[in-house]
Amino acid sequence: MDRSSQEAAVEAALAELDLPAKAALLGGTDMWSVGPEDARSAAGFGRLVLSDGPAGVRGENWSPEDPSLALPSPTAIGATWDVTAARTAGLLLAQEARRKGAHAVLAPTVNLHRTPYSGRHFEAYSEDPQLTGVLGAALVAALQQGGVAATPKHYVANDAETDRYTVDVRADGRTLRELYLEPFERIVRTAGPWLLMAAYNSVNGVTMSEHDVLNNGVLRGEWGFDGALVSDWTGARSTLGCVRGGLDLAMPGPDTVYGEHLVAAVREGRVAAETVDVQARRVLLLAARVGVLDGAPPTVPAGALPAPLDGAAAVRDLATRSFVLLRNEYAGGPVLPLEVGGGAEPSGDAVRRIAVSGLHACAPRFGGGGSSQVFPERVGTPLDALRAALPPGTEVSYEPGPDPRSRLAPATEAAGFRLTAVLHGLDDAELARAEQRDGSVRWMGTLPGGVSFADLGRVELVGEFTPGESGTHRLAVRGVGHFRLEAGDRVLYDAELQADSDDPAAAFLNPPQRTFLLDAEADKPLPVRLLHSVPAHGVGGLFGLVSFELGHGAPAVAEQELTERAVRAAAEADCAVVFVGTTDESESEGVDRESLALPGSQDELVARVARANPRTVVVVNAGAPVLMPWHQEVAAVLLCWFPGEAGGEALADVLLGAAEPGGRLPTTWPSAEDDLPVRQVVPDGDGRLPYVEGPYIGYRAWRRAAGPEPAYWFGHGLGYTRWEYESLSITALDGAGGDDPYGPVAQVTVRVRNSGPRAGREVVQLYLGPEGPDCRLAAFAVVRAAAGDLAEASLEVPLRAVQTWDDTHLVWRRCPGPHRFAVGRSAADIRLTAELPLWE
């Protein structure tokens, strides 16, 4: 890449722009693109498109009719503890972005798992800044290797959802530096992101889109960030505040705090014209880097792009590497992988009859709710994948058990619905039609048929419902605005639905739902019609989107009867596999969790199935910790996170032993809510959220609390083989006094032996510091070995791992030695230790 040619092109473009054109480049044209057409053409600036993307690239459309590759959730990527996996995810995101016409992906999310009550926990990697920073940097580097800008977010301390637009996080300097700023610093210094997103929240009294100290002083001044700083959507609130706080790009548009407001501020002498030049220069540099600025060579030329990946195979492999086997004990040995018997006479404990239960077996959560949601072409269900993978003669029964969802899911073709969306203009004339895959209508950025949002008056969802069974069905309306629901010759609803909170995004991410009863006969078609008047003020104040649903529920069966059916099936089987998990109501962007318990009656289902069949395997489909009061009463617990579109096939691979569950916990899982050392996500009466725990979260907080043990420690995870830790050697490196915080000060070599029956994968974890809460993760490495073979893990200890922030003198200081090195399989399972002074 010729950086000088890019800079010359940027200066040439800047010289062609007058003040209004420069100011126009600092705001969105619409929901996803940057700069109005007249300003772009004057500067030779092509259309620059941004897209959501932590778990898949949606592009400008948010609709099942424009599918995307769905990756495992970021927490699943965190559970791989694998730089190669993070790089693969980054390459997949870049590949998808190019296919979707996007130039920047709003990923990765590198906020921390401060507490599992955070509703957006699944979208971040880990509770540990070292693990988060290393994986985040790998993803950023790979994404940009693919010619697409990465956007680490949300800078900084956006670690909960409650009042996220207004909450003021209060944290001292050490807490910010050692925890919440640390992943961003590593990513900026080692991966060089071209874009970075400012969070909604305030930090110590100043909203992040206006935070001069953290944006200009730390991010740019100390770390050397040379990219553009973009607001979270609707997060820019003040023209002067954002200018002074170093915000370059206010999204979305066309109405922003910049544009004509910034022009007026310059002409009135409140903002220097040179300041606008600096901001416009950064946006133009972003355009140059991604290849949409005339005369500027892109940072990655087309001929240098990475070779294409097989997306379906890659996401399946990522999922298996992320699955964490928490427990595997049955009759003195493991229950997983399942030994299955086909048509031939089985031997020993071979399984011929498997009883599967739980809604998540046939309706899995492949991704989390909110802005990271994408619509894949297909989702492999665990039930279908397991049946397809088993040998002939193996019987699989299925009982859904009680439904844990409190809201109805969108109406589907499988339930008997055939639906079309009809778009009407302001004069009620038909503008376009779009066939629907289900009852979810979600358009963002563009509309079917090229219809303009300015011309749209209402949307009509029309079609036919042919029930598969007679009885009292349930229909539901979900959204914000006026709705009229008709079924047969009845009007079930004709009224306004209001958002449940003041959070603008909640209006389309978590809108309210109303449910209505409908008596219907099997195989007798009924016309259905749902009319939605598009709010003139937009959805939650956001223009350029339409979002609502027609929901459906089959005639209800008593929960007790559903549980009894699952228990009877389990009692008659050789093995029971129960699928449990969270729902999009209990774990989603825009709302924090009120409880860590599994929703509905899932705990009772597991407990009763386990009593009926001692060989019970539980698969947990959740993006964040859940309580598992039964975890010691079942034979195995397998955590699959939100595994992406190929999660079903990946689960079949792991359950049957074609692949090993390779994951380790990226966050500590509690046994009980009262045991949690860090819990608060709700601001106090003054709108402040004090981080009173200081730099002690996750496993460090558990050690400090010295109370009950967690259910499973950070770093825990079993495989299908055994590992012995044989030796640890440490070499202090010359030049350890250098200034690079991520330069190595020690080289550590760990020899481990695979002493089990099959090839396997191990995550070697190095913790540094005194025993207790100040011992923290310093490095990690993944090794692989065949049965009986040795493997050698090479780990570099960065300078930052032996530093602490001095709040009095505002500098990093080296921790005094000698330094205790502890190597093991989790934060609590240490196998080898040694001490060595790294400097005198």
Short mmCIF file of all heavy atoms in Angstrom, two decimals, residues 732-775:
data_model
loop_
_atom_site.label_atom_id
_atom_site.label_comp_id
_atom_site.label_asym_id
_atom_site.label_seq_id
_atom_site.Cartn_x
_atom_site.Cartn_y
_atom_site.Cartn_z
N ALA A 732 13.86 -14.64 30.52
CA ALA A 732 13.70 -13.19 30.50
C ALA A 732 14.42 -12.64 29.29
O ALA A 732 15.53 -13.06 28.96
CB ALA A 732 14.24 -12.58 31.78
N LEU A 733 13.80 -11.69 28.59
CA LEU A 733 14.34 -11.18 27.34
C LEU A 733 15.07 -9.86 27.56
O LEU A 733 14.64 -9.03 28.36
CB LEU A 733 13.23 -10.98 26.31
CG LEU A 733 12.44 -12.23 25.94
CD1 LEU A 733 11.34 -11.90 24.96
CD2 LEU A 733 13.36 -13.30 25.36
N ASP A 734 16.16 -9.69 26.85
CA ASP A 734 16.88 -8.42 26.89
C ASP A 734 15.99 -7.33 26.31
O ASP A 734 15.12 -7.57 25.48
CB ASP A 734 18.17 -8.52 26.08
CG ASP A 734 19.17 -9.48 26.70
OD1 ASP A 734 19.07 -9.70 27.93
OD2 ASP A 734 20.02 -10.01 25.96
N GLY A 735 16.23 -6.13 26.75
CA GLY A 735 15.44 -5.01 26.25
C GLY A 735 14.07 -4.95 26.86
O GLY A 735 13.15 -4.34 26.30
N ALA A 736 13.91 -5.55 28.04
CA ALA A 736 12.60 -5.56 28.67
C ALA A 736 12.17 -4.18 29.13
O ALA A 736 11.02 -3.98 29.50
CB ALA A 736 12.60 -6.51 29.87
N GLY A 737 13.07 -3.24 29.10
CA GLY A 737 12.70 -1.89 29.51
C GLY A 737 12.17 -1.05 28.39
O GLY A 737 12.01 0.16 28.53
N GLY A 738 11.88 -1.64 27.21
CA GLY A 738 11.35 -0.88 26.09
C GLY A 738 9.99 -0.28 26.39
O GLY A 738 9.33 -0.64 27.36
N ASP A 739 9.55 0.62 25.50
CA ASP A 739 8.30 1.35 25.74
C ASP A 739 7.08 0.65 25.15
O ASP A 739 5.95 1.03 25.46
CB ASP A 739 8.41 2.76 25.15
CG ASP A 739 9.44 3.60 25.86
OD1 ASP A 739 9.66 3.36 27.06
OD2 ASP A 739 10.03 4.50 25.21
N ASP A 740 7.27 -0.32 24.27
CA ASP A 740 6.12 -0.98 23.65
C ASP A 740 5.39 -1.83 24.67
O ASP A 740 5.94 -2.84 25.14
CB ASP A 740 6.61 -1.84 22.48
CG ASP A 740 5.45 -2.55 21.77
OD1 ASP A 740 4.29 -2.35 22.15
OD2 ASP A 740 5.73 -3.33 20.82
N PRO A 741 4.16 -1.47 25.03
CA PRO A 741 3.47 -2.24 26.08
C PRO A 741 3.16 -3.67 25.66
O PRO A 741 2.87 -4.51 26.51
CB PRO A 741 2.18 -1.44 26.32
CG PRO A 741 1.98 -0.65 25.08
CD PRO A 741 3.34 -0.34 24.55
N TYR A 742 3.22 -3.95 24.36
CA TYR A 742 2.91 -5.30 23.89
C TYR A 742 4.14 -6.01 23.36
O TYR A 742 4.04 -7.08 22.76
CB TYR A 742 1.77 -5.26 22.86
CG TYR A 742 0.58 -4.58 23.49
CD1 TYR A 742 0.24 -3.28 23.15
CD2 TYR A 742 -0.13 -5.20 24.51
CE1 TYR A 742 -0.82 -2.63 23.78
CE2 TYR A 742 -1.18 -4.56 25.14
CZ TYR A 742 -1.51 -3.27 24.78
OH TYR A 742 -2.54 -2.63 25.43
N GLY A 743 5.32 -5.41 23.59
CA GLY A 743 6.56 -6.09 23.30
C GLY A 743 6.84 -7.13 24.38
O GLY A 743 6.47 -6.96 25.54
N PRO A 744 7.51 -8.24 24.03
CA PRO A 744 7.72 -9.32 25.00
C PRO A 744 8.81 -9.00 26.01
O PRO A 744 9.84 -8.42 25.67
CB PRO A 744 8.12 -10.51 24.12
CG PRO A 744 8.75 -9.87 22.91
CD PRO A 744 8.01 -8.58 22.69
N VAL A 745 8.57 -9.39 27.26
CA VAL A 745 9.59 -9.28 28.31
C VAL A 745 10.04 -10.66 28.78
O VAL A 745 11.02 -10.78 29.51
CB VAL A 745 9.07 -8.46 29.51
CG1 VAL A 745 8.81 -7.03 29.11
CG2 VAL A 745 7.82 -9.09 30.11
N ALA A 746 9.32 -11.70 28.36
CA ALA A 746 9.71 -13.06 28.72
C ALA A 746 9.15 -14.03 27.70
O ALA A 746 8.07 -13.82 27.13
CB ALA A 746 9.22 -13.43 30.10
N GLN A 747 9.90 -15.10 27.47
CA GLN A 747 9.46 -16.20 26.61
C GLN A 747 9.23 -17.42 27.50
O GLN A 747 10.12 -17.82 28.25
CB GLN A 747 10.51 -16.51 25.55
CG GLN A 747 10.11 -17.59 24.57
CD GLN A 747 9.08 -17.11 23.56
OE1 GLN A 747 9.17 -15.98 23.09
NE2 GLN A 747 8.11 -17.96 23.25
N VAL A 748 8.04 -17.98 27.42
CA VAL A 748 7.68 -19.12 28.27
C VAL A 748 7.39 -20.32 27.36
O VAL A 748 6.65 -20.22 26.38
CB VAL A 748 6.45 -18.81 29.14
CG1 VAL A 748 6.05 -20.02 29.97
CG2 VAL A 748 6.72 -17.61 30.03
N THR A 749 7.98 -21.45 27.69
CA THR A 749 7.74 -22.69 26.95
C THR A 749 7.14 -23.72 27.89
O THR A 749 7.69 -23.97 28.98
CB THR A 749 9.04 -23.22 26.34
OG1 THR A 749 9.61 -22.23 25.48
CG2 THR A 749 8.77 -24.49 25.54
N VAL A 750 6.02 -24.29 27.48
CA VAL A 750 5.33 -25.29 28.30
C VAL A 750 5.20 -26.57 27.47
O VAL A 750 4.72 -26.53 26.33
CB VAL A 750 3.93 -24.81 28.73
CG1 VAL A 750 3.26 -25.86 29.61
CG2 VAL A 750 4.01 -23.47 29.45
N ARG A 751 5.65 -27.68 28.04
CA ARG A 751 5.53 -28.98 27.37
C ARG A 751 4.37 -29.75 28.00
O ARG A 751 4.31 -29.92 29.23
CB ARG A 751 6.82 -29.77 27.48
CG ARG A 751 8.01 -29.10 26.82
CD ARG A 751 9.23 -30.00 26.84
NE ARG A 751 9.08 -31.11 25.89
CZ ARG A 751 9.96 -32.11 25.80
NH1 ARG A 751 11.01 -32.17 26.62
NH2 ARG A 751 9.78 -33.07 24.91
N VAL A 752 3.44 -30.18 27.14
CA VAL A 752 2.29 -30.95 27.60
C VAL A 752 2.20 -32.23 26.79
O VAL A 752 2.63 -32.30 25.64
CB VAL A 752 0.98 -30.14 27.46
CG1 VAL A 752 0.98 -28.93 28.37
CG2 VAL A 752 0.75 -29.72 26.01
N ARG A 753 1.64 -33.25 27.42
CA ARG A 753 1.51 -34.55 26.73
C ARG A 753 0.03 -34.95 26.68
O ARG A 753 -0.70 -34.86 27.68
CB ARG A 753 2.30 -35.63 27.46
CG ARG A 753 2.27 -36.99 26.75
CD ARG A 753 3.05 -38.05 27.51
NE ARG A 753 4.45 -37.69 27.62
CZ ARG A 753 5.36 -37.92 26.67
NH1 ARG A 753 4.99 -38.50 25.52
NH2 ARG A 753 6.62 -37.58 26.85
N ASN A 754 -0.38 -35.39 25.51
CA ASN A 754 -1.71 -35.96 25.34
C ASN A 754 -1.66 -37.40 25.84
O ASN A 754 -1.17 -38.29 25.15
CB ASN A 754 -2.12 -35.90 23.86
CG ASN A 754 -3.51 -36.47 23.62
OD1 ASN A 754 -4.11 -37.07 24.51
ND2 ASN A 754 -4.01 -36.30 22.41
N SER A 755 -2.16 -37.60 27.05
CA SER A 755 -2.11 -38.94 27.65
C SER A 755 -3.41 -39.71 27.49
O SER A 755 -3.60 -40.76 28.09
CB SER A 755 -1.78 -38.82 29.14
OG SER A 755 -2.76 -38.04 29.81
N GLY A 756 -4.31 -39.17 26.68
CA GLY A 756 -5.60 -39.82 26.50
C GLY A 756 -5.65 -40.71 25.27
O GLY A 756 -4.63 -40.97 24.62
N PRO A 757 -6.86 -41.13 24.90
CA PRO A 757 -7.02 -42.17 23.85
C PRO A 757 -7.12 -41.64 22.43
O PRO A 757 -7.17 -42.43 21.49
CB PRO A 757 -8.33 -42.83 24.25
CG PRO A 757 -9.12 -41.72 24.88
CD PRO A 757 -8.12 -40.86 25.60
N ARG A 758 -7.20 -40.31 22.22
CA ARG A 758 -7.41 -39.81 20.88
C ARG A 758 -6.72 -38.46 20.71
O ARG A 758 -6.35 -37.81 21.69
CB ARG A 758 -8.90 -39.68 20.55
CG ARG A 758 -9.67 -38.83 21.52
CD ARG A 758 -11.15 -38.74 21.16
NE ARG A 758 -11.36 -37.81 20.06
CZ ARG A 758 -12.52 -37.70 19.40
NH1 ARG A 758 -13.54 -38.49 19.70
NH2 ARG A 758 -12.67 -36.83 18.43
N ALA A 759 -6.56 -38.02 19.48
CA ALA A 759 -5.98 -36.71 19.20
C ALA A 759 -6.84 -35.64 19.84
O ALA A 759 -8.07 -35.79 19.97
CB ALA A 759 -5.87 -36.49 17.70
N GLY A 760 -6.21 -34.54 20.24
CA GLY A 760 -6.97 -33.51 20.92
C GLY A 760 -6.32 -32.15 20.84
O GLY A 760 -5.24 -31.96 20.28
N ARG A 761 -7.00 -31.21 21.43
CA ARG A 761 -6.63 -29.80 21.42
C ARG A 761 -6.60 -29.31 22.86
O ARG A 761 -7.51 -29.59 23.63
CB ARG A 761 -7.67 -29.03 20.61
CG ARG A 761 -7.59 -27.52 20.63
CD ARG A 761 -8.82 -26.96 19.92
NE ARG A 761 -8.77 -25.53 19.68
CZ ARG A 761 -9.16 -24.62 20.56
NH1 ARG A 761 -9.62 -24.99 21.75
NH2 ARG A 761 -9.10 -23.32 20.25
N GLU A 762 -5.57 -28.57 23.22
CA GLU A 762 -5.47 -28.03 24.57
C GLU A 762 -5.20 -26.53 24.51
O GLU A 762 -4.50 -26.05 23.62
CB GLU A 762 -4.34 -28.73 25.35
CG GLU A 762 -4.06 -28.19 26.74
CD GLU A 762 -5.17 -28.48 27.74
OE1 GLU A 762 -6.32 -28.68 27.33
OE2 GLU A 762 -4.87 -28.50 28.94
N VAL A 763 -5.77 -25.80 25.47
CA VAL A 763 -5.50 -24.37 25.61
C VAL A 763 -4.62 -24.20 26.84
O VAL A 763 -5.07 -24.41 27.98
CB VAL A 763 -6.80 -23.57 25.76
CG1 VAL A 763 -6.46 -22.08 25.96
CG2 VAL A 763 -7.68 -23.74 24.53
N VAL A 764 -3.37 -23.84 26.62
CA VAL A 764 -2.42 -23.63 27.72
C VAL A 764 -2.54 -22.19 28.17
O VAL A 764 -2.39 -21.26 27.37
CB VAL A 764 -0.98 -23.94 27.25
CG1 VAL A 764 0.01 -23.67 28.37
CG2 VAL A 764 -0.88 -25.38 26.77
N GLN A 765 -2.80 -22.00 29.46
CA GLN A 765 -3.08 -20.66 30.01
C GLN A 765 -2.00 -20.27 31.01
O GLN A 765 -1.67 -21.05 31.91
CB GLN A 765 -4.45 -20.66 30.69
CG GLN A 765 -5.57 -21.11 29.77
CD GLN A 765 -6.86 -21.45 30.51
OE1 GLN A 765 -7.21 -20.80 31.50
NE2 GLN A 765 -7.57 -22.47 30.02
N LEU A 766 -1.46 -19.07 30.85
CA LEU A 766 -0.42 -18.56 31.73
C LEU A 766 -0.97 -17.38 32.53
O LEU A 766 -1.42 -16.38 31.95
CB LEU A 766 0.79 -18.11 30.91
CG LEU A 766 1.88 -17.33 31.66
CD1 LEU A 766 2.51 -18.18 32.77
CD2 LEU A 766 2.94 -16.81 30.71
N TYR A 767 -0.92 -17.51 33.86
CA TYR A 767 -1.35 -16.45 34.76
C TYR A 767 -0.12 -15.91 35.48
O TYR A 767 0.79 -16.66 35.84
CB TYR A 767 -2.38 -16.97 35.76
CG TYR A 767 -3.65 -17.45 35.09
CD1 TYR A 767 -3.75 -18.74 34.58
CD2 TYR A 767 -4.73 -16.60 34.94
CE1 TYR A 767 -4.90 -19.18 33.94
CE2 TYR A 767 -5.90 -17.03 34.30
CZ TYR A 767 -5.97 -18.32 33.81
OH TYR A 767 -7.12 -18.74 33.18
N LEU A 768 -0.10 -14.60 35.71
CA LEU A 768 1.07 -13.95 36.26
C LEU A 768 0.67 -13.07 37.43
O LEU A 768 -0.33 -12.34 37.36
CB LEU A 768 1.74 -13.10 35.18
CG LEU A 768 3.18 -12.65 35.37
CD1 LEU A 768 4.10 -13.85 35.57
CD2 LEU A 768 3.63 -11.82 34.18
N GLY A 769 1.44 -13.14 38.50
CA GLY A 769 1.19 -12.30 39.66
C GLY A 769 1.05 -13.12 40.92
O GLY A 769 1.04 -14.36 40.89
N PRO A 770 0.93 -12.46 42.06
CA PRO A 770 0.83 -13.18 43.33
C PRO A 770 -0.46 -13.98 43.41
O PRO A 770 -1.44 -13.66 42.73
CB PRO A 770 0.83 -12.05 44.37
CG PRO A 770 0.31 -10.86 43.64
CD PRO A 770 0.83 -10.99 42.24
N GLU A 771 -0.45 -15.01 44.22
CA GLU A 771 -1.69 -15.76 44.41
C GLU A 771 -2.78 -14.85 44.94
O GLU A 771 -2.53 -14.01 45.80
CB GLU A 771 -1.46 -16.93 45.37
CG GLU A 771 -0.58 -18.03 44.80
CD GLU A 771 -0.57 -19.26 45.67
OE1 GLU A 771 -1.60 -19.97 45.70
OE2 GLU A 771 0.45 -19.50 46.34
N GLY A 772 -4.00 -15.02 44.42
CA GLY A 772 -5.09 -14.16 44.86
C GLY A 772 -5.63 -13.32 43.71
O GLY A 772 -5.37 -13.58 42.54
N PRO A 773 -6.36 -12.25 44.03
CA PRO A 773 -7.06 -11.49 43.00
C PRO A 773 -6.16 -10.72 42.05
O PRO A 773 -6.62 -10.30 40.98
CB PRO A 773 -7.94 -10.54 43.81
CG PRO A 773 -7.28 -10.43 45.13
CD PRO A 773 -6.66 -11.76 45.39
N ASP A 774 -4.90 -10.51 42.40
CA ASP A 774 -4.01 -9.77 41.51
C ASP A 774 -3.28 -10.66 40.52
O ASP A 774 -2.47 -10.16 39.73
CB ASP A 774 -3.02 -8.93 42.32
CG ASP A 774 -3.70 -7.74 42.98
OD1 ASP A 774 -4.44 -7.03 42.28
OD2 ASP A 774 -3.53 -7.55 44.20
N CYS A 775 -3.53 -11.94 40.55
CA CYS A 775 -2.98 -12.85 39.54
C CYS A 775 -3.90 -12.82 38.33
O CYS A 775 -5.12 -12.99 38.45
CB CYS A 775 -2.89 -14.27 40.09
SG CYS A 775 -2.13 -15.44 38.96
#
